[in-house]
Amino acid sequence: MATVAAPGRVDHAPVRTEFAFELPVGYLTDDGTLHREGRMRMATARDEIMPLRDPRVRENEAYLTVLLLSRVITSLGTLSSVDPGTVEGMFAADLAFLQDLYRRINAEGHTRAGVTCPECRHEFTIDLAGSRSGLGES
């Protein structure tokens, strides 16, 4: 189970540490399989520190994003693992989506965003992770 009790909280409510997502385009493997559904966990201090030692990051700071995402994406479709090569092969729209999801999970602790309907001006909240029933949440 990917939840833990938050220390110091009176209500002992579990803290979500893993979030389901659905990529807007999807990761396409060489055999033509499209992988869209996955899970991302919250980053640890180690996740953010270790990539800074990687020579690829020293040569190109933008590569930090690739390494960070490959560390925190726990599943993607039927792939056995997600590594830097997987993230490198993603479409730009999916990379941007995952960067935003990472920021929301790790800076804000959730994947919700307030939006306003452009036609009726009704305000409501959506889940940016795009999780569908059946994926479940932890």
Side-chain angles (χ1 to χ4, degrees), residues 64-104:
L64 178 61
T65 297
V66 171
L67 294 179
L68 282 171
L69 290 175
S70 69
R71 292 179 67 95
V72 299
I73 297 172
T74 59
S75 68
L76 182 59
T78 59
L79 298 177
S80 58
S81 65
V82 175
D83 58 28
T86 305
V87 178
E88 288 175 4
M90 291 183 172
F91 293 106
D94 291 332
L95 184 63
F97 170 83
L98 290 169
Q99 287 175 303
D100 186 57
L101 181 62
Y102 179 93
R103 183 187 58 76
R104 287 185 174 279

mmCIF file of all heavy atoms in Angstrom, residues 64-104:
data_model
loop_
_atom_site.group_PDB
_atom_site.id
_atom_site.type_symbol
_atom_site.label_atom_id
_atom_site.label_comp_id
_atom_site.label_asym_id
_atom_site.label_seq_id
_atom_site.Cartn_x
_atom_site.Cartn_y
_atom_site.Cartn_z
ATOM 1 N N LEU A 64 18.249 16.686 -16.454
ATOM 2 C CA LEU A 64 17.798 16.441 -15.083
ATOM 3 C C LEU A 64 16.349 15.973 -15.071
ATOM 4 O O LEU A 64 15.986 15.049 -14.347
ATOM 5 C CB LEU A 64 17.958 17.707 -14.236
ATOM 6 C CG LEU A 64 17.475 17.624 -12.791
ATOM 7 C CD1 LEU A 64 18.248 16.562 -12.014
ATOM 8 C CD2 LEU A 64 17.603 18.981 -12.116
ATOM 9 N N THR A 65 15.518 16.578 -15.896
ATOM 10 C CA THR A 65 14.106 16.200 -15.978
ATOM 11 C C THR A 65 13.957 14.741 -16.375
ATOM 12 O O THR A 65 13.146 14.012 -15.795
ATOM 13 C CB THR A 65 13.373 17.099 -16.997
ATOM 14 O OG1 THR A 65 13.428 18.437 -16.534
ATOM 15 C CG2 THR A 65 11.931 16.681 -17.183
ATOM 16 N N VAL A 66 14.727 14.311 -17.344
ATOM 17 C CA VAL A 66 14.665 12.920 -17.807
ATOM 18 C C VAL A 66 14.994 11.967 -16.662
ATOM 19 O O VAL A 66 14.285 10.986 -16.423
ATOM 20 C CB VAL A 66 15.618 12.700 -19.006
ATOM 21 C CG1 VAL A 66 15.737 11.223 -19.357
ATOM 22 C CG2 VAL A 66 15.159 13.511 -20.204
ATOM 23 N N LEU A 67 16.073 12.248 -15.946
ATOM 24 C CA LEU A 67 16.479 11.367 -14.850
ATOM 25 C C LEU A 67 15.480 11.383 -13.699
ATOM 26 O O LEU A 67 15.162 10.327 -13.132
ATOM 27 C CB LEU A 67 17.874 11.751 -14.354
ATOM 28 C CG LEU A 67 19.008 11.523 -15.353
ATOM 29 C CD1 LEU A 67 20.330 11.970 -14.762
ATOM 30 C CD2 LEU A 67 19.072 10.081 -15.803
ATOM 31 N N LEU A 68 14.977 12.558 -13.354
ATOM 32 C CA LEU A 68 13.988 12.643 -12.276
ATOM 33 C C LEU A 68 12.737 11.828 -12.607
ATOM 34 O O LEU A 68 12.262 11.042 -11.783
ATOM 35 C CB LEU A 68 13.593 14.095 -12.014
ATOM 36 C CG LEU A 68 14.552 14.943 -11.210
ATOM 37 C CD1 LEU A 68 14.114 16.401 -11.222
ATOM 38 C CD2 LEU A 68 14.671 14.429 -9.791
ATOM 39 N N LEU A 69 12.215 12.017 -13.797
ATOM 40 C CA LEU A 69 10.992 11.302 -14.169
ATOM 41 C C LEU A 69 11.219 9.793 -14.218
ATOM 42 O O LEU A 69 10.358 9.019 -13.802
ATOM 43 C CB LEU A 69 10.448 11.819 -15.506
ATOM 44 C CG LEU A 69 9.877 13.231 -15.462
ATOM 45 C CD1 LEU A 69 9.476 13.684 -16.864
ATOM 46 C CD2 LEU A 69 8.697 13.320 -14.505
ATOM 47 N N SER A 70 12.380 9.376 -14.712
ATOM 48 C CA SER A 70 12.641 7.937 -14.782
ATOM 49 C C SER A 70 12.742 7.317 -13.382
ATOM 50 O O SER A 70 12.509 6.127 -13.210
ATOM 51 C CB SER A 70 13.906 7.648 -15.589
ATOM 52 O OG SER A 70 15.065 8.069 -14.914
ATOM 53 N N ARG A 71 13.060 8.110 -12.384
ATOM 54 C CA ARG A 71 13.145 7.615 -11.007
ATOM 55 C C ARG A 71 11.773 7.513 -10.342
ATOM 56 O O ARG A 71 11.573 6.667 -9.472
ATOM 57 C CB ARG A 71 14.059 8.512 -10.164
ATOM 58 C CG ARG A 71 15.523 8.439 -10.566
ATOM 59 C CD ARG A 71 16.375 9.356 -9.722
ATOM 60 N NE ARG A 71 16.450 8.928 -8.334
ATOM 61 C CZ ARG A 71 17.423 8.182 -7.815
ATOM 62 N NH1 ARG A 71 18.411 7.782 -8.580
ATOM 63 N NH2 ARG A 71 17.409 7.845 -6.540
ATOM 64 N N VAL A 72 10.836 8.394 -10.695
ATOM 65 C CA VAL A 72 9.564 8.448 -9.960
ATOM 66 C C VAL A 72 8.380 7.824 -10.689
ATOM 67 O O VAL A 72 7.342 7.595 -10.066
ATOM 68 C CB VAL A 72 9.211 9.897 -9.534
ATOM 69 C CG1 VAL A 72 10.274 10.454 -8.610
ATOM 70 C CG2 VAL A 72 9.010 10.797 -10.742
ATOM 71 N N ILE A 73 8.503 7.538 -11.978
ATOM 72 C CA ILE A 73 7.421 6.837 -12.679
ATOM 73 C C ILE A 73 7.541 5.365 -12.322
ATOM 74 O O ILE A 73 8.526 4.714 -12.660
ATOM 75 C CB ILE A 73 7.486 7.055 -14.203
ATOM 76 C CG1 ILE A 73 7.284 8.532 -14.531
ATOM 77 C CG2 ILE A 73 6.426 6.197 -14.907
ATOM 78 C CD1 ILE A 73 7.520 8.878 -15.991
ATOM 79 N N THR A 74 6.558 4.855 -11.606
ATOM 80 C CA THR A 74 6.629 3.479 -11.110
ATOM 81 C C THR A 74 6.053 2.469 -12.085
ATOM 82 O O THR A 74 6.376 1.287 -12.003
ATOM 83 C CB THR A 74 5.908 3.352 -9.758
ATOM 84 O OG1 THR A 74 4.538 3.736 -9.913
ATOM 85 C CG2 THR A 74 6.575 4.230 -8.702
ATOM 86 N N SER A 75 5.202 2.926 -12.990
ATOM 87 C CA SER A 75 4.674 2.016 -14.007
ATOM 88 C C SER A 75 4.189 2.825 -15.199
ATOM 89 O O SER A 75 3.786 3.987 -15.070
ATOM 90 C CB SER A 75 3.533 1.159 -13.448
ATOM 91 O OG SER A 75 2.401 1.948 -13.160
ATOM 92 N N LEU A 76 4.239 2.190 -16.358
ATOM 93 C CA LEU A 76 3.724 2.786 -17.586
ATOM 94 C C LEU A 76 3.254 1.657 -18.484
ATOM 95 O O LEU A 76 4.070 0.878 -19.020
ATOM 96 C CB LEU A 76 4.787 3.627 -18.292
ATOM 97 C CG LEU A 76 4.330 4.342 -19.566
ATOM 98 C CD1 LEU A 76 3.156 5.289 -19.273
ATOM 99 C CD2 LEU A 76 5.487 5.113 -20.185
ATOM 100 N N GLY A 77 1.944 1.555 -18.616
ATOM 101 C CA GLY A 77 1.370 0.489 -19.433
ATOM 102 C C GLY A 77 1.876 -0.874 -18.999
ATOM 103 O O GLY A 77 1.945 -1.171 -17.815
ATOM 104 N N THR A 78 2.291 -1.672 -19.974
ATOM 105 C CA THR A 78 2.788 -3.018 -19.680
ATOM 106 C C THR A 78 4.310 -3.087 -19.656
ATOM 107 O O THR A 78 4.878 -4.181 -19.604
ATOM 108 C CB THR A 78 2.261 -4.020 -20.723
ATOM 109 O OG1 THR A 78 2.697 -3.612 -22.031
ATOM 110 C CG2 THR A 78 0.738 -4.113 -20.686
ATOM 111 N N LEU A 79 4.975 -1.937 -19.667
ATOM 112 C CA LEU A 79 6.431 -1.928 -19.620
ATOM 113 C C LEU A 79 6.906 -2.513 -18.296
ATOM 114 O O LEU A 79 6.307 -2.262 -17.253
ATOM 115 C CB LEU A 79 6.981 -0.508 -19.767
ATOM 116 C CG LEU A 79 6.679 0.221 -21.081
ATOM 117 C CD1 LEU A 79 7.225 1.646 -21.022
ATOM 118 C CD2 LEU A 79 7.281 -0.535 -22.252
ATOM 119 N N SER A 80 7.999 -3.259 -18.335
ATOM 120 C CA SER A 80 8.529 -3.853 -17.104
ATOM 121 C C SER A 80 9.218 -2.813 -16.235
ATOM 122 O O SER A 80 9.293 -2.969 -15.015
ATOM 123 C CB SER A 80 9.493 -4.990 -17.426
ATOM 124 O OG SER A 80 10.563 -4.520 -18.224
ATOM 125 N N SER A 81 9.723 -1.740 -16.849
ATOM 126 C CA SER A 81 10.353 -0.660 -16.089
ATOM 127 C C SER A 81 10.402 0.596 -16.951
ATOM 128 O O SER A 81 10.241 0.543 -18.166
ATOM 129 C CB SER A 81 11.764 -1.049 -15.642
ATOM 130 O OG SER A 81 12.599 -1.216 -16.771
ATOM 131 N N VAL A 82 10.622 1.722 -16.284
ATOM 132 C CA VAL A 82 10.783 3.001 -16.985
ATOM 133 C C VAL A 82 12.188 3.495 -16.667
ATOM 134 O O VAL A 82 12.537 3.682 -15.502
ATOM 135 C CB VAL A 82 9.729 4.029 -16.525
ATOM 136 C CG1 VAL A 82 9.971 5.388 -17.164
ATOM 137 C CG2 VAL A 82 8.328 3.532 -16.849
ATOM 138 N N ASP A 83 12.994 3.683 -17.710
ATOM 139 C CA ASP A 83 14.364 4.141 -17.523
ATOM 140 C C ASP A 83 14.551 5.447 -18.303
ATOM 141 O O ASP A 83 13.623 5.899 -18.989
ATOM 142 C CB ASP A 83 15.363 3.071 -17.953
ATOM 143 C CG ASP A 83 15.202 2.642 -19.412
ATOM 144 O OD1 ASP A 83 14.741 3.453 -20.248
ATOM 145 O OD2 ASP A 83 15.555 1.498 -19.718
ATOM 146 N N PRO A 84 15.728 6.067 -18.212
ATOM 147 C CA PRO A 84 15.939 7.327 -18.940
ATOM 148 C C PRO A 84 15.675 7.214 -20.443
ATOM 149 O O PRO A 84 15.137 8.136 -21.050
ATOM 150 C CB PRO A 84 17.401 7.666 -18.651
ATOM 151 C CG PRO A 84 17.658 7.066 -17.309
ATOM 152 C CD PRO A 84 16.864 5.779 -17.321
ATOM 153 N N GLY A 85 15.995 6.076 -21.037
ATOM 154 C CA GLY A 85 15.742 5.885 -22.466
ATOM 155 C C GLY A 85 14.256 5.938 -22.795
ATOM 156 O O GLY A 85 13.854 6.440 -23.843
ATOM 157 N N THR A 86 13.434 5.425 -21.887
ATOM 158 C CA THR A 86 11.982 5.475 -22.075
ATOM 159 C C THR A 86 11.522 6.933 -22.089
ATOM 160 O O THR A 86 10.784 7.347 -22.990
ATOM 161 C CB THR A 86 11.262 4.721 -20.941
ATOM 162 O OG1 THR A 86 11.756 3.394 -20.851
ATOM 163 C CG2 THR A 86 9.758 4.688 -21.174
ATOM 164 N N VAL A 87 11.962 7.706 -21.115
ATOM 165 C CA VAL A 87 11.552 9.109 -21.021
ATOM 166 C C VAL A 87 12.070 9.892 -22.231
ATOM 167 O O VAL A 87 11.351 10.728 -22.785
ATOM 168 C CB VAL A 87 12.032 9.737 -19.691
ATOM 169 C CG1 VAL A 87 11.644 11.210 -19.611
ATOM 170 C CG2 VAL A 87 11.450 8.967 -18.502
ATOM 171 N N GLU A 88 13.290 9.592 -22.684
ATOM 172 C CA GLU A 88 13.842 10.263 -23.873
ATOM 173 C C GLU A 88 12.981 10.022 -25.104
ATOM 174 O O GLU A 88 12.889 10.871 -25.986
ATOM 175 C CB GLU A 88 15.252 9.746 -24.168
ATOM 176 C CG GLU A 88 16.298 10.204 -23.220
ATOM 177 C CD GLU A 88 17.644 9.548 -23.500
ATOM 178 O OE1 GLU A 88 17.782 8.784 -24.489
ATOM 179 O OE2 GLU A 88 18.585 9.798 -22.721
ATOM 180 N N GLY A 89 12.345 8.863 -25.177
ATOM 181 C CA GLY A 89 11.539 8.506 -26.338
ATOM 182 C C GLY A 89 10.103 8.987 -26.301
ATOM 183 O O GLY A 89 9.326 8.720 -27.212
ATOM 184 N N MET A 90 9.736 9.726 -25.268
ATOM 185 C CA MET A 90 8.357 10.212 -25.152
ATOM 186 C C MET A 90 8.123 11.422 -26.046
ATOM 187 O O MET A 90 9.047 12.174 -26.343
ATOM 188 C CB MET A 90 8.052 10.584 -23.701
ATOM 189 C CG MET A 90 7.977 9.403 -22.796
ATOM 190 S SD MET A 90 7.535 9.901 -21.114
ATOM 191 C CE MET A 90 7.297 8.286 -20.391
ATOM 192 N N PHE A 91 6.889 11.582 -26.460
ATOM 193 C CA PHE A 91 6.510 12.764 -27.223
ATOM 194 C C PHE A 91 6.584 13.991 -26.323
ATOM 195 O O PHE A 91 6.386 13.898 -25.099
ATOM 196 C CB PHE A 91 5.094 12.611 -27.788
ATOM 197 C CG PHE A 91 4.994 11.524 -28.830
ATOM 198 C CD1 PHE A 91 4.377 10.318 -28.532
ATOM 199 C CD2 PHE A 91 5.533 11.708 -30.095
ATOM 200 C CE1 PHE A 91 4.290 9.313 -29.481
ATOM 201 C CE2 PHE A 91 5.453 10.706 -31.052
ATOM 202 C CZ PHE A 91 4.827 9.510 -30.742
ATOM 203 N N ALA A 92 6.849 15.140 -26.897
ATOM 204 C CA ALA A 92 7.012 16.379 -26.132
ATOM 205 C C ALA A 92 5.769 16.697 -25.300
ATOM 206 O O ALA A 92 5.891 17.172 -24.162
ATOM 207 C CB ALA A 92 7.347 17.540 -27.068
ATOM 208 N N ALA A 93 4.587 16.434 -25.824
ATOM 209 C CA ALA A 93 3.353 16.712 -25.073
ATOM 210 C C ALA A 93 3.293 15.871 -23.797
ATOM 211 O O ALA A 93 2.868 16.349 -22.745
ATOM 212 C CB ALA A 93 2.129 16.436 -25.940
ATOM 213 N N ASP A 94 3.729 14.622 -23.886
ATOM 214 C CA ASP A 94 3.722 13.753 -22.707
ATOM 215 C C ASP A 94 4.786 14.182 -21.705
ATOM 216 O O ASP A 94 4.548 14.155 -20.496
ATOM 217 C CB ASP A 94 3.940 12.295 -23.113
ATOM 218 C CG ASP A 94 2.752 11.731 -23.877
ATOM 219 O OD1 ASP A 94 1.623 12.203 -23.655
ATOM 220 O OD2 ASP A 94 2.961 10.820 -24.694
ATOM 221 N N LEU A 95 5.943 14.587 -22.196
ATOM 222 C CA LEU A 95 7.001 15.061 -21.302
ATOM 223 C C LEU A 95 6.530 16.301 -20.541
ATOM 224 O O LEU A 95 6.705 16.398 -19.326
ATOM 225 C CB LEU A 95 8.279 15.360 -22.088
ATOM 226 C CG LEU A 95 9.475 15.780 -21.238
ATOM 227 C CD1 LEU A 95 9.891 14.670 -20.292
ATOM 228 C CD2 LEU A 95 10.628 16.182 -22.126
ATOM 229 N N ALA A 96 5.897 17.232 -21.234
ATOM 230 C CA ALA A 96 5.381 18.446 -20.586
ATOM 231 C C ALA A 96 4.317 18.085 -19.550
ATOM 232 O O ALA A 96 4.290 18.642 -18.442
ATOM 233 C CB ALA A 96 4.819 19.404 -21.625
ATOM 234 N N PHE A 97 3.443 17.149 -19.893
ATOM 235 C CA PHE A 97 2.407 16.694 -18.963
ATOM 236 C C PHE A 97 3.036 16.113 -17.706
ATOM 237 O O PHE A 97 2.647 16.436 -16.578
ATOM 238 C CB PHE A 97 1.521 15.649 -19.645
ATOM 239 C CG PHE A 97 0.590 14.946 -18.701
ATOM 240 C CD1 PHE A 97 -0.623 15.512 -18.347
ATOM 241 C CD2 PHE A 97 0.934 13.719 -18.159
ATOM 242 C CE1 PHE A 97 -1.476 14.866 -17.460
ATOM 243 C CE2 PHE A 97 0.098 13.071 -17.275
ATOM 244 C CZ PHE A 97 -1.114 13.638 -16.925
ATOM 245 N N LEU A 98 4.049 15.257 -17.867
ATOM 246 C CA LEU A 98 4.693 14.614 -16.727
ATOM 247 C C LEU A 98 5.477 15.606 -15.877
ATOM 248 O O LEU A 98 5.513 15.490 -14.652
ATOM 249 C CB LEU A 98 5.600 13.478 -17.202
ATOM 250 C CG LEU A 98 4.848 12.261 -17.748
ATOM 251 C CD1 LEU A 98 5.818 11.309 -18.433
ATOM 252 C CD2 LEU A 98 4.063 11.553 -16.654
ATOM 253 N N GLN A 99 6.085 16.603 -16.506
ATOM 254 C CA GLN A 99 6.782 17.643 -15.750
ATOM 255 C C GLN A 99 5.796 18.406 -14.871
ATOM 256 O O GLN A 99 6.087 18.694 -13.703
ATOM 257 C CB GLN A 99 7.492 18.619 -16.693
ATOM 258 C CG GLN A 99 8.724 18.043 -17.332
ATOM 259 C CD GLN A 99 9.324 19.003 -18.344
ATOM 260 O OE1 GLN A 99 8.669 19.432 -19.284
ATOM 261 N NE2 GLN A 99 10.582 19.331 -18.147
ATOM 262 N N ASP A 100 4.644 18.744 -15.418
ATOM 263 C CA ASP A 100 3.638 19.460 -14.642
ATOM 264 C C ASP A 100 3.091 18.583 -13.515
ATOM 265 O O ASP A 100 2.900 19.047 -12.391
ATOM 266 C CB ASP A 100 2.504 19.937 -15.549
ATOM 267 C CG ASP A 100 1.514 20.799 -14.789
ATOM 268 O OD1 ASP A 100 1.934 21.818 -14.204
ATOM 269 O OD2 ASP A 100 0.316 20.450 -14.764
ATOM 270 N N LEU A 101 2.864 17.312 -13.817
ATOM 271 C CA LEU A 101 2.370 16.385 -12.805
ATOM 272 C C LEU A 101 3.392 16.243 -11.677
ATOM 273 O O LEU A 101 3.038 16.288 -10.492
ATOM 274 C CB LEU A 101 2.075 15.026 -13.437
ATOM 275 C CG LEU A 101 1.517 13.953 -12.503
ATOM 276 C CD1 LEU A 101 0.174 14.374 -11.930
ATOM 277 C CD2 LEU A 101 1.398 12.632 -13.250
ATOM 278 N N TYR A 102 4.659 16.126 -12.021
ATOM 279 C CA TYR A 102 5.734 16.034 -11.016
ATOM 280 C C TYR A 102 5.714 17.261 -10.114
ATOM 281 O O TYR A 102 5.786 17.149 -8.891
ATOM 282 C CB TYR A 102 7.089 15.906 -11.721
ATOM 283 C CG TYR A 102 8.263 15.829 -10.775
ATOM 284 C CD1 TYR A 102 8.753 14.603 -10.366
ATOM 285 C CD2 TYR A 102 8.882 16.975 -10.289
ATOM 286 C CE1 TYR A 102 9.828 14.512 -9.493
ATOM 287 C CE2 TYR A 102 9.953 16.896 -9.414
ATOM 288 C CZ TYR A 102 10.425 15.668 -9.021
ATOM 289 O OH TYR A 102 11.480 15.586 -8.146
ATOM 290 N N ARG A 103 5.627 18.431 -10.719
ATOM 291 C CA ARG A 103 5.602 19.673 -9.947
ATOM 292 C C ARG A 103 4.397 19.706 -9.010
ATOM 293 O O ARG A 103 4.517 20.040 -7.832
ATOM 294 C CB ARG A 103 5.575 20.886 -10.880
ATOM 295 C CG ARG A 103 5.611 22.223 -10.137
ATOM 296 C CD ARG A 103 5.408 23.400 -11.065
ATOM 297 N NE ARG A 103 4.161 23.365 -11.817
ATOM 298 C CZ ARG A 103 2.961 23.642 -11.312
ATOM 299 N NH1 ARG A 103 2.838 23.968 -10.050
ATOM 300 N NH2 ARG A 103 1.882 23.596 -12.068
ATOM 301 N N ARG A 104 3.240 19.345 -9.503
ATOM 302 C CA ARG A 104 2.031 19.378 -8.677
ATOM 303 C C ARG A 104 2.119 18.384 -7.527
ATOM 304 O O ARG A 104 1.766 18.702 -6.394
ATOM 305 C CB ARG A 104 0.790 19.088 -9.516
ATOM 306 C CG ARG A 104 0.436 20.234 -10.412
ATOM 307 C CD ARG A 104 -0.874 19.976 -11.150
ATOM 308 N NE ARG A 104 -1.227 21.169 -11.874
ATOM 309 C CZ ARG A 104 -1.824 22.221 -11.338
ATOM 310 N NH1 ARG A 104 -2.152 22.229 -10.078
ATOM 311 N NH2 ARG A 104 -2.106 23.276 -12.065
#
